[in-house]
Amino acid sequence: MKRPTIYDVAQRAGVSKSLVSLVLRGSPRVSEEKREAVLAAVAELDYTPSRLAAGLAGTRTRSIGVVVDDFANLWFAPALEGLRAAVAAGGYSLSVADTALNAHLSQDPIAVFRSLRVDGVVLAGEISAEAARQLAVPAVVLGTRAIEAARVPVIASDETAGGRLATAHLAELGHRRIACISGPGPSASAREAGYLAELAARGLGASLVRAEQTTEAAGAAAADAMLAELASAPGAEAPTAVFAVNDPLAVGAIGALRGQGFEVPRDVSVVGYDDSPIASYRLVSLTSVSGDVRELGEAAGADLVAMLEGEGEFPPSRRLAPRLVVRRSTAAPRAHRRSPGAGPV
Amino acid sequence: MKRPTIYDVAQRAGVSKSLVSLVLRGSPRVSEEKREAVLAAVAELDYTPSRLAAGLAGTRTRSIGVVVDDFANLWFAPALEGLRAAVAAGGYSLSVADTALNAHLSQDPIAVFRSLRVDGVVLAGEISAEAARQLAVPAVVLGTRAIEAARVPVIASDETAGGRLATAHLAELGHRRIACISGPGPSASAREAGYLAELAARGLGASLVRAEQTTEAAGAAAADAMLAELASAPGAEAPTAVFAVNDPLAVGAIGALRGQGFEVPRDVSVVGYDDSPIASYRLVSLTSVSGDVRELGEAAGADLVAMLEGEGEFPPSRRLAPRLVVRRSTAAPRAHRRSPGAGPV
DNA sequence: TTGTAAGCGTTATCAC
DNA sequence: GTGATAACGCTTACAA
């Protein structure tokens, strides 16, 4: 008992296979009569066209591949939803792969997509510049500024602006000693650059620690290290605010600070980045920078579809402005509250 | 400038296309000489075989589809990794889709996989029973017991056992009034059933609240509701321990309890479920039941490959035993610590 | 409007 | 070992 083919449908409906193909692809030049006959046959036979054959025969597969850097980065979930919404308009379907997913067996996701003949790909997350080159199909990069140079539009959140936003918020509250817990990777660098720029613009001094990874544990370790260094320095003063370049780092820092007797935000204010689910948890209530990831996904999807449908030129890179979600992890510094003009003790 | 085909490779290597196909599929009956010639031509031409054509012509596509209920469920990341490892052994590659991803436009992921002619599918998460039926290809269900009846093996964590484990842990610590915050869905039900079974086995009374969703906010609301109800009841006593059927619910409950002046674990112990990343955060340090999801994924992948390669019979359903990860959210009850035999005040 | 026929790039079945 | 030559199920001119 084999699967029904377009041929079976044609026979049952009493038409030719071409007609079936036309009906299925919604051609307007078919009689209502035949259309119904075809649709009926399709339903009766439970026919599902083979995308393999369609892709082989046609000029496109109407599928687009999405490469996600890591499925554990919850970041991409809303991005994917925005993408889907955007490409669905063009009749495309998404195929998702994660970089780590096939890394071991040299099962490079890009290679898989190539052999699948996807019409285009979306590089989501911190993709290596190398991956983007030698990419025979139209592509857009979503959410990082790593590969500015390649011939692909980059749809990213302006992470440097986000870093400035977070830092400015703390400065506006009255903080003068604002530390930063950064980490590895281009996103972290961009956010960190924003922190430095904003401090410079305000004439404040910087205090930077780089965590080994961008995890909660690394954030805790970085905060501990920062505190330890302060303790051993002669006249050093502890920061009254910390900007962590992502939420896990921030949560780790809060845990470490609390472990050392500092209450948040009473003694130290903390700002995170990404506005991940944990940030809104009551237990945490973390002020965080939000990249509006879903919209980023939508924009990327729309741009890719435009490249696929349109002739020639490709859309310009875009850098969307992030916004700050203020919660209960930030407040004015104590000294500031007691007597606005007073210097630190 | 078109893509190179197997024909181009054959011509360049001075052999027939059949030979090229044999070499690429690792046939042992080809001379070393020709093999090298073919491989060289492949490299020079940067040839990538078309999976579309291969799937069309061959008897299988060597691809398997994974349907995830929701990408935002961090749960599936390790499961996917286990899956990948297991199916890679058989030379299969994974294609992932999320139920919500295409739900809107009747872009049912199962339909997409059908048209892609995947060799098999993995249903991960809480899949509807309906989805599993009418599934023309071999399938396994990963991580839920929802569709016991269908003709697919179910590889799941024994969630009822997990519920018992959590409850037993609290009882062993000396707790007598153990409440449960449950939620919607089959997983929650199974965990809840374990809670009830363990209490019954120990002759303890149950106190159950069902949250509207399985989110942190819902958990907080449920805990608040529970406390409010207790306050209005005449001689009711507050529970000294709470088992929440997943981690977000548990974190929400902790937040709510703290808001009402209860410290965890001093006044109330809390156990969660899933051992998600947040559970290990210092700020939370939540005792939680772990399903060893990666291993679950491996088992499911191995079973599916066995079904695909093997002839006939399919592997039995399996229910893997979960384990408890004890952290700092659980401790002996206060009264118990002061005087072991004393009743509650 | 509908039918005919020629591919699309592989695998599979034979011969050689 | 190696090479022809049919499928595979569809799209797409081109005819009718």
Side-chain angles (χ1 to χ4, degrees), chain B residues 113-158:
Chain B
F113 285 150
R114 277 222 307 178
S115 69
L116 248 21
R117 302 295 188 257
V118 297
D119 294 338
V121 340
V122 176
L123 269 16
E126 301 192 350
I127 304 297
S128 74
E130 211 167 340
R133 310 191 203 300
Q134 307 297 43
L135 200 57
V137 295
V140 303
V141 167
L142 174 55
T144 177
R145 57 195 316 168
I147 49 177
E148 199 65 82
R151 189 167 170 70
V152 299
V154 177
I155 316 302
S157 188
D158 189 340

mmCIF file of all heavy atoms in Angstrom, chain B residues 113-158:
data_model
loop_
_atom_site.group_PDB
_atom_site.id
_atom_site.type_symbol
_atom_site.label_atom_id
_atom_site.label_comp_id
_atom_site.label_asym_id
_atom_site.label_seq_id
_atom_site.Cartn_x
_atom_site.Cartn_y
_atom_site.Cartn_z
ATOM 1 N N PHE B 113 6.281 17.473 7.852
ATOM 2 C CA PHE B 113 7.187 16.328 7.888
ATOM 3 C C PHE B 113 6.733 15.247 6.911
ATOM 4 O O PHE B 113 7.559 14.580 6.286
ATOM 5 C CB PHE B 113 7.278 15.758 9.302
ATOM 6 C CG PHE B 113 8.109 16.604 10.224
ATOM 7 C CD1 PHE B 113 7.838 16.657 11.582
ATOM 8 C CD2 PHE B 113 9.176 17.348 9.730
ATOM 9 C CE1 PHE B 113 8.612 17.436 12.426
ATOM 10 C CE2 PHE B 113 9.952 18.134 10.573
ATOM 11 C CZ PHE B 113 9.663 18.179 11.928
ATOM 12 N N ARG B 114 5.456 15.074 6.813
ATOM 13 C CA ARG B 114 4.945 14.086 5.864
ATOM 14 C C ARG B 114 5.361 14.446 4.454
ATOM 15 O O ARG B 114 5.830 13.611 3.681
ATOM 16 C CB ARG B 114 3.409 14.029 5.928
ATOM 17 C CG ARG B 114 2.882 13.175 7.029
ATOM 18 C CD ARG B 114 1.700 12.326 6.575
ATOM 19 N NE ARG B 114 0.637 13.099 5.937
ATOM 20 C CZ ARG B 114 -0.453 12.540 5.443
ATOM 21 N NH1 ARG B 114 -0.625 11.227 5.530
ATOM 22 N NH2 ARG B 114 -1.383 13.272 4.887
ATOM 23 N N SER B 115 5.187 15.701 4.119
ATOM 24 C CA SER B 115 5.515 16.114 2.753
ATOM 25 C C SER B 115 7.024 16.119 2.530
ATOM 26 O O SER B 115 7.485 16.076 1.407
ATOM 27 C CB SER B 115 4.924 17.488 2.459
ATOM 28 O OG SER B 115 5.593 18.466 3.203
ATOM 29 N N LEU B 116 7.750 16.136 3.624
ATOM 30 C CA LEU B 116 9.204 16.089 3.523
ATOM 31 C C LEU B 116 9.675 14.637 3.477
ATOM 32 O O LEU B 116 10.857 14.360 3.295
ATOM 33 C CB LEU B 116 9.828 16.789 4.729
ATOM 34 C CG LEU B 116 10.580 18.098 4.550
ATOM 35 C CD1 LEU B 116 10.193 18.808 3.251
ATOM 36 C CD2 LEU B 116 10.378 18.990 5.740
ATOM 37 N N ARG B 117 8.738 13.738 3.677
ATOM 38 C CA ARG B 117 9.026 12.302 3.631
ATOM 39 C C ARG B 117 10.086 11.872 4.634
ATOM 40 O O ARG B 117 11.002 11.115 4.292
ATOM 41 C CB ARG B 117 9.460 11.883 2.220
ATOM 42 C CG ARG B 117 8.442 12.176 1.122
ATOM 43 C CD ARG B 117 7.179 11.361 1.291
ATOM 44 N NE ARG B 117 6.290 11.503 0.139
ATOM 45 C CZ ARG B 117 5.185 12.268 0.137
ATOM 46 N NH1 ARG B 117 4.854 12.960 1.210
ATOM 47 N NH2 ARG B 117 4.424 12.299 -0.931
ATOM 48 N N VAL B 118 9.951 12.370 5.852
ATOM 49 C CA VAL B 118 10.882 11.926 6.888
ATOM 50 C C VAL B 118 10.650 10.437 7.134
ATOM 51 O O VAL B 118 9.556 9.929 6.943
ATOM 52 C CB VAL B 118 10.680 12.703 8.205
ATOM 53 C CG1 VAL B 118 10.975 14.167 8.013
ATOM 54 C CG2 VAL B 118 9.273 12.490 8.734
ATOM 55 N N ASP B 119 11.704 9.771 7.573
ATOM 56 C CA ASP B 119 11.597 8.331 7.811
ATOM 57 C C ASP B 119 10.870 8.012 9.112
ATOM 58 O O ASP B 119 10.308 6.932 9.270
ATOM 59 C CB ASP B 119 12.988 7.696 7.850
ATOM 60 C CG ASP B 119 13.681 7.770 6.497
ATOM 61 O OD1 ASP B 119 12.968 7.915 5.484
ATOM 62 O OD2 ASP B 119 14.916 7.677 6.457
ATOM 63 N N GLY B 120 10.907 8.950 10.036
ATOM 64 C CA GLY B 120 10.259 8.725 11.318
ATOM 65 C C GLY B 120 10.098 10.037 12.054
ATOM 66 O O GLY B 120 10.666 11.051 11.654
ATOM 67 N N VAL B 121 9.285 10.043 13.093
ATOM 68 C CA VAL B 121 9.157 11.270 13.864
ATOM 69 C C VAL B 121 9.214 11.012 15.359
ATOM 70 O O VAL B 121 8.851 9.947 15.847
ATOM 71 C CB VAL B 121 7.890 12.103 13.497
ATOM 72 C CG1 VAL B 121 7.339 11.727 12.137
ATOM 73 C CG2 VAL B 121 6.827 11.992 14.550
ATOM 74 N N VAL B 122 9.696 12.036 16.040
ATOM 75 C CA VAL B 122 9.739 12.005 17.498
ATOM 76 C C VAL B 122 8.763 13.062 17.993
ATOM 77 O O VAL B 122 8.854 14.224 17.600
ATOM 78 C CB VAL B 122 11.147 12.343 18.025
ATOM 79 C CG1 VAL B 122 11.137 12.397 19.541
ATOM 80 C CG2 VAL B 122 12.158 11.330 17.535
ATOM 81 N N LEU B 123 7.842 12.632 18.808
ATOM 82 C CA LEU B 123 6.892 13.579 19.381
ATOM 83 C C LEU B 123 7.392 13.926 20.775
ATOM 84 O O LEU B 123 7.301 13.121 21.703
ATOM 85 C CB LEU B 123 5.508 12.909 19.485
ATOM 86 C CG LEU B 123 4.514 13.024 18.332
ATOM 87 C CD1 LEU B 123 5.174 13.487 17.060
ATOM 88 C CD2 LEU B 123 3.771 11.726 18.131
ATOM 89 N N ALA B 124 7.925 15.123 20.942
ATOM 90 C CA ALA B 124 8.514 15.489 22.227
ATOM 91 C C ALA B 124 7.626 16.439 22.999
ATOM 92 O O ALA B 124 7.168 17.444 22.468
ATOM 93 C CB ALA B 124 9.882 16.123 22.008
ATOM 94 N N GLY B 125 7.380 16.115 24.242
ATOM 95 C CA GLY B 125 6.560 16.987 25.070
ATOM 96 C C GLY B 125 5.135 16.500 25.160
ATOM 97 O O GLY B 125 4.842 15.342 24.878
ATOM 98 N N GLU B 126 4.287 17.399 25.549
ATOM 99 C CA GLU B 126 2.900 16.989 25.748
ATOM 100 C C GLU B 126 2.127 17.081 24.439
ATOM 101 O O GLU B 126 1.468 18.062 24.137
ATOM 102 C CB GLU B 126 2.253 17.861 26.818
ATOM 103 C CG GLU B 126 3.003 17.747 28.137
ATOM 104 C CD GLU B 126 2.235 18.364 29.299
ATOM 105 O OE1 GLU B 126 1.220 19.032 29.047
ATOM 106 O OE2 GLU B 126 2.668 18.153 30.438
ATOM 107 N N ILE B 127 2.223 16.035 23.668
ATOM 108 C CA ILE B 127 1.584 15.992 22.364
ATOM 109 C C ILE B 127 0.160 15.466 22.495
ATOM 110 O O ILE B 127 -0.117 14.607 23.302
ATOM 111 C CB ILE B 127 2.374 15.044 21.449
ATOM 112 C CG1 ILE B 127 3.824 15.486 21.372
ATOM 113 C CG2 ILE B 127 1.761 14.992 20.070
ATOM 114 C CD1 ILE B 127 4.015 16.841 20.770
ATOM 115 N N SER B 128 -0.710 15.987 21.686
ATOM 116 C CA SER B 128 -2.091 15.519 21.748
ATOM 117 C C SER B 128 -2.180 14.118 21.166
ATOM 118 O O SER B 128 -1.446 13.735 20.265
ATOM 119 C CB SER B 128 -2.993 16.454 20.944
ATOM 120 O OG SER B 128 -2.784 16.241 19.571
ATOM 121 N N ALA B 129 -3.082 13.343 21.702
ATOM 122 C CA ALA B 129 -3.266 11.973 21.248
ATOM 123 C C ALA B 129 -3.626 11.964 19.765
ATOM 124 O O ALA B 129 -3.172 11.123 19.000
ATOM 125 C CB ALA B 129 -4.383 11.315 22.053
ATOM 126 N N GLU B 130 -4.376 12.946 19.388
ATOM 127 C CA GLU B 130 -4.834 13.044 18.001
ATOM 128 C C GLU B 130 -3.663 13.131 17.033
ATOM 129 O O GLU B 130 -3.635 12.500 15.984
ATOM 130 C CB GLU B 130 -5.704 14.289 17.853
ATOM 131 C CG GLU B 130 -6.784 14.155 16.815
ATOM 132 C CD GLU B 130 -7.779 15.290 16.944
ATOM 133 O OE1 GLU B 130 -7.827 15.908 18.042
ATOM 134 O OE2 GLU B 130 -8.477 15.575 15.972
ATOM 135 N N ALA B 131 -2.674 13.922 17.450
ATOM 136 C CA ALA B 131 -1.509 14.126 16.589
ATOM 137 C C ALA B 131 -0.810 12.805 16.295
ATOM 138 O O ALA B 131 -0.274 12.592 15.204
ATOM 139 C CB ALA B 131 -0.543 15.108 17.233
ATOM 140 N N ALA B 132 -0.824 11.934 17.261
ATOM 141 C CA ALA B 132 -0.077 10.692 17.112
ATOM 142 C C ALA B 132 -0.765 9.694 16.177
ATOM 143 O O ALA B 132 -0.120 8.887 15.518
ATOM 144 C CB ALA B 132 0.123 10.055 18.471
ATOM 145 N N ARG B 133 -2.070 9.759 16.139
ATOM 146 C CA ARG B 133 -2.774 8.836 15.243
ATOM 147 C C ARG B 133 -2.591 9.336 13.801
ATOM 148 O O ARG B 133 -2.074 10.398 13.566
ATOM 149 C CB ARG B 133 -4.260 8.821 15.577
ATOM 150 C CG ARG B 133 -4.531 8.620 17.049
ATOM 151 C CD ARG B 133 -6.000 8.338 17.295
ATOM 152 N NE ARG B 133 -6.368 8.673 18.667
ATOM 153 C CZ ARG B 133 -5.820 8.111 19.742
ATOM 154 N NH1 ARG B 133 -4.884 7.184 19.616
ATOM 155 N NH2 ARG B 133 -6.177 8.478 20.961
ATOM 156 N N GLN B 134 -3.046 8.537 12.879
ATOM 157 C CA GLN B 134 -2.952 8.944 11.473
ATOM 158 C C GLN B 134 -1.537 9.338 11.098
ATOM 159 O O GLN B 134 -1.316 10.171 10.249
ATOM 160 C CB GLN B 134 -3.884 10.135 11.169
ATOM 161 C CG GLN B 134 -5.328 9.950 11.580
ATOM 162 C CD GLN B 134 -6.036 8.810 10.866
ATOM 163 O OE1 GLN B 134 -5.468 7.727 10.694
ATOM 164 N NE2 GLN B 134 -7.243 9.040 10.438
ATOM 165 N N LEU B 135 -0.592 8.775 11.810
ATOM 166 C CA LEU B 135 0.794 9.120 11.562
ATOM 167 C C LEU B 135 1.374 7.984 10.743
ATOM 168 O O LEU B 135 1.632 6.912 11.251
ATOM 169 C CB LEU B 135 1.506 9.238 12.908
ATOM 170 C CG LEU B 135 2.787 10.015 12.953
ATOM 171 C CD1 LEU B 135 2.550 11.430 12.444
ATOM 172 C CD2 LEU B 135 3.288 10.047 14.371
ATOM 173 N N ALA B 136 1.579 8.229 9.470
ATOM 174 C CA ALA B 136 1.952 7.135 8.567
ATOM 175 C C ALA B 136 3.349 6.578 8.786
ATOM 176 O O ALA B 136 3.675 5.512 8.309
ATOM 177 C CB ALA B 136 1.794 7.600 7.127
ATOM 178 N N VAL B 137 4.182 7.302 9.521
ATOM 179 C CA VAL B 137 5.556 6.838 9.709
ATOM 180 C C VAL B 137 5.807 6.353 11.134
ATOM 181 O O VAL B 137 5.067 6.700 12.043
ATOM 182 C CB VAL B 137 6.555 7.962 9.378
ATOM 183 C CG1 VAL B 137 6.484 8.318 7.916
ATOM 184 C CG2 VAL B 137 6.287 9.169 10.252
ATOM 185 N N PRO B 138 6.854 5.562 11.298
ATOM 186 C CA PRO B 138 7.234 5.111 12.640
ATOM 187 C C PRO B 138 7.467 6.311 13.542
ATOM 188 O O PRO B 138 8.003 7.326 13.100
ATOM 189 C CB PRO B 138 8.533 4.350 12.404
ATOM 190 C CG PRO B 138 8.472 3.911 10.992
ATOM 191 C CD PRO B 138 7.716 4.981 10.264
ATOM 192 N N ALA B 139 7.058 6.188 14.780
ATOM 193 C CA ALA B 139 7.226 7.308 15.683
ATOM 194 C C ALA B 139 7.484 6.848 17.105
ATOM 195 O O ALA B 139 7.148 5.719 17.471
ATOM 196 C CB ALA B 139 5.976 8.188 15.654
ATOM 197 N N VAL B 140 8.096 7.715 17.878
ATOM 198 C CA VAL B 140 8.213 7.472 19.305
ATOM 199 C C VAL B 140 7.773 8.739 20.013
ATOM 200 O O VAL B 140 7.864 9.838 19.465
ATOM 201 C CB VAL B 140 9.660 7.125 19.753
ATOM 202 C CG1 VAL B 140 10.192 5.917 19.000
ATOM 203 C CG2 VAL B 140 10.579 8.314 19.555
ATOM 204 N N VAL B 141 7.258 8.561 21.198
ATOM 205 C CA VAL B 141 6.848 9.710 21.987
ATOM 206 C C VAL B 141 7.868 9.893 23.088
ATOM 207 O O VAL B 141 8.293 8.925 23.717
ATOM 208 C CB VAL B 141 5.450 9.491 22.588
ATOM 209 C CG1 VAL B 141 5.172 10.529 23.650
ATOM 210 C CG2 VAL B 141 4.391 9.551 21.501
ATOM 211 N N LEU B 142 8.253 11.117 23.282
ATOM 212 C CA LEU B 142 9.303 11.404 24.252
ATOM 213 C C LEU B 142 8.809 12.299 25.373
ATOM 214 O O LEU B 142 8.458 13.452 25.145
ATOM 215 C CB LEU B 142 10.462 12.087 23.514
ATOM 216 C CG LEU B 142 11.618 12.616 24.340
ATOM 217 C CD1 LEU B 142 12.194 11.516 25.204
ATOM 218 C CD2 LEU B 142 12.683 13.173 23.420
ATOM 219 N N GLY B 143 8.733 11.743 26.551
ATOM 220 C CA GLY B 143 8.512 12.594 27.713
ATOM 221 C C GLY B 143 7.104 12.828 28.194
ATOM 222 O O GLY B 143 6.887 13.678 29.034
ATOM 223 N N THR B 144 6.152 12.087 27.698
ATOM 224 C CA THR B 144 4.811 12.226 28.259
ATOM 225 C C THR B 144 4.124 10.884 28.189
ATOM 226 O O THR B 144 4.501 10.002 27.436
ATOM 227 C CB THR B 144 3.981 13.273 27.504
ATOM 228 O OG1 THR B 144 2.674 13.302 28.049
ATOM 229 C CG2 THR B 144 3.888 12.904 26.051
ATOM 230 N N ARG B 145 3.114 10.727 28.970
ATOM 231 C CA ARG B 145 2.397 9.458 28.935
ATOM 232 C C ARG B 145 1.006 9.650 28.359
ATOM 233 O O ARG B 145 0.108 8.862 28.607
ATOM 234 C CB ARG B 145 2.315 8.883 30.337
ATOM 235 C CG ARG B 145 1.660 9.839 31.325
ATOM 236 C CD ARG B 145 1.914 9.414 32.736
ATOM 237 N NE ARG B 145 1.740 7.991 32.895
ATOM 238 C CZ ARG B 145 2.115 7.304 33.967
ATOM 239 N NH1 ARG B 145 2.691 7.945 34.954
ATOM 240 N NH2 ARG B 145 1.928 6.031 34.049
ATOM 241 N N ALA B 146 0.857 10.716 27.624
ATOM 242 C CA ALA B 146 -0.477 11.099 27.168
ATOM 243 C C ALA B 146 -1.131 10.056 26.278
ATOM 244 O O ALA B 146 -2.314 9.803 26.378
ATOM 245 C CB ALA B 146 -0.406 12.424 26.428
ATOM 246 N N ILE B 147 -0.369 9.444 25.399
ATOM 247 C CA ILE B 147 -1.012 8.622 24.393
ATOM 248 C C ILE B 147 -0.581 7.168 24.449
ATOM 249 O O ILE B 147 -0.166 6.582 23.469
ATOM 250 C CB ILE B 147 -0.730 9.189 23.008
ATOM 251 C CG1 ILE B 147 0.766 9.448 22.885
ATOM 252 C CG2 ILE B 147 -1.491 10.470 22.801
ATOM 253 C CD1 ILE B 147 1.151 9.948 21.539
ATOM 254 N N GLU B 148 -0.709 6.646 25.613
ATOM 255 C CA GLU B 148 -0.353 5.263 25.869
ATOM 256 C C GLU B 148 -0.907 4.305 24.820
ATOM 257 O O GLU B 148 -0.261 3.328 24.443
ATOM 258 C CB GLU B 148 -0.911 4.876 27.239
ATOM 259 C CG GLU B 148 -0.271 3.667 27.847
ATOM 260 C CD GLU B 148 1.195 3.940 28.149
ATOM 261 O OE1 GLU B 148 1.489 4.543 29.192
ATOM 262 O OE2 GLU B 148 2.024 3.548 27.325
ATOM 263 N N ALA B 149 -2.092 4.603 24.336
ATOM 264 C CA ALA B 149 -2.804 3.646 23.502
ATOM 265 C C ALA B 149 -2.251 3.490 22.077
ATOM 266 O O ALA B 149 -2.226 2.397 21.533
ATOM 267 C CB ALA B 149 -4.267 4.034 23.420
ATOM 268 N N ALA B 150 -1.813 4.586 21.515
ATOM 269 C CA ALA B 150 -1.380 4.536 20.119
ATOM 270 C C ALA B 150 -0.257 3.533 19.897
ATOM 271 O O ALA B 150 0.396 3.099 20.841
ATOM 272 C CB ALA B 150 -0.923 5.923 19.685
ATOM 273 N N ARG B 151 -0.054 3.175 18.660
ATOM 274 C CA ARG B 151 0.952 2.164 18.358
ATOM 275 C C ARG B 151 2.343 2.770 18.221
ATOM 276 O O ARG B 151 3.028 2.595 17.211
ATOM 277 C CB ARG B 151 0.574 1.448 17.055
ATOM 278 C CG ARG B 151 1.463 0.244 16.803
ATOM 279 C CD ARG B 151 0.920 -0.649 15.717
ATOM 280 N NE ARG B 151 1.911 -1.638 15.348
ATOM 281 C CZ ARG B 151 2.281 -2.650 16.126
ATOM 282 N NH1 ARG B 151 1.741 -2.797 17.303
ATOM 283 N NH2 ARG B 151 3.199 -3.504 15.725
ATOM 284 N N VAL B 152 2.743 3.479 19.252
ATOM 285 C CA VAL B 152 4.086 4.057 19.279
ATOM 286 C C VAL B 152 4.659 3.863 20.667
ATOM 287 O O VAL B 152 3.957 4.019 21.659
ATOM 288 C CB VAL B 152 4.062 5.567 18.958
ATOM 289 C CG1 VAL B 152 3.506 5.816 17.573
ATOM 290 C CG2 VAL B 152 3.249 6.312 19.990
ATOM 291 N N PRO B 153 5.941 3.506 20.746
ATOM 292 C CA PRO B 153 6.535 3.373 22.060
ATOM 293 C C PRO B 153 6.653 4.733 22.734
ATOM 294 O O PRO B 153 6.900 5.738 22.068
ATOM 295 C CB PRO B 153 7.915 2.772 21.774
ATOM 296 C CG PRO B 153 8.178 3.036 20.348
ATOM 297 C CD PRO B 153 6.859 3.124 19.665
ATOM 298 N N VAL B 154 6.448 4.746 24.018
ATOM 299 C CA VAL B 154 6.551 5.982 24.778
ATOM 300 C C VAL B 154 7.782 5.903 25.667
ATOM 301 O O VAL B 154 7.921 4.987 26.468
ATOM 302 C CB VAL B 154 5.307 6.193 25.662
ATOM 303 C CG1 VAL B 154 5.466 7.445 26.495
ATOM 304 C CG2 VAL B 154 4.048 6.256 24.814
ATOM 305 N N ILE B 155 8.702 6.835 25.473
ATOM 306 C CA ILE B 155 9.889 6.880 26.311
ATOM 307 C C ILE B 155 9.695 8.047 27.242
ATOM 308 O O ILE B 155 9.782 9.205 26.820
ATOM 309 C CB ILE B 155 11.164 7.149 25.483
ATOM 310 C CG1 ILE B 155 11.183 6.315 24.220
ATOM 311 C CG2 ILE B 155 12.411 6.907 26.320
ATOM 312 C CD1 ILE B 155 11.109 4.848 24.450
ATOM 313 N N ALA B 156 9.401 7.765 28.470
ATOM 314 C CA ALA B 156 9.095 8.864 29.367
ATOM 315 C C ALA B 156 9.739 8.681 30.715
ATOM 316 O O ALA B 156 10.131 7.588 31.102
ATOM 317 C CB ALA B 156 7.579 8.983 29.524
ATOM 318 N N SER B 157 9.832 9.784 31.397
ATOM 319 C CA SER B 157 10.286 9.732 32.771
ATOM 320 C C SER B 157 9.070 9.301 33.573
ATOM 321 O O SER B 157 7.936 9.637 33.233
ATOM 322 C CB SER B 157 10.744 11.122 33.186
ATOM 323 O OG SER B 157 11.358 11.077 34.437
ATOM 324 N N ASP B 158 9.282 8.533 34.601
ATOM 325 C CA ASP B 158 8.151 8.088 35.420
ATOM 326 C C ASP B 158 7.768 9.222 36.356
ATOM 327 O O ASP B 158 8.289 9.346 37.459
ATOM 328 C CB ASP B 158 8.540 6.843 36.214
ATOM 329 C CG ASP B 158 7.327 6.235 36.907
ATOM 330 O OD1 ASP B 158 6.319 6.945 37.084
ATOM 331 O OD2 ASP B 158 7.401 5.047 37.258
#
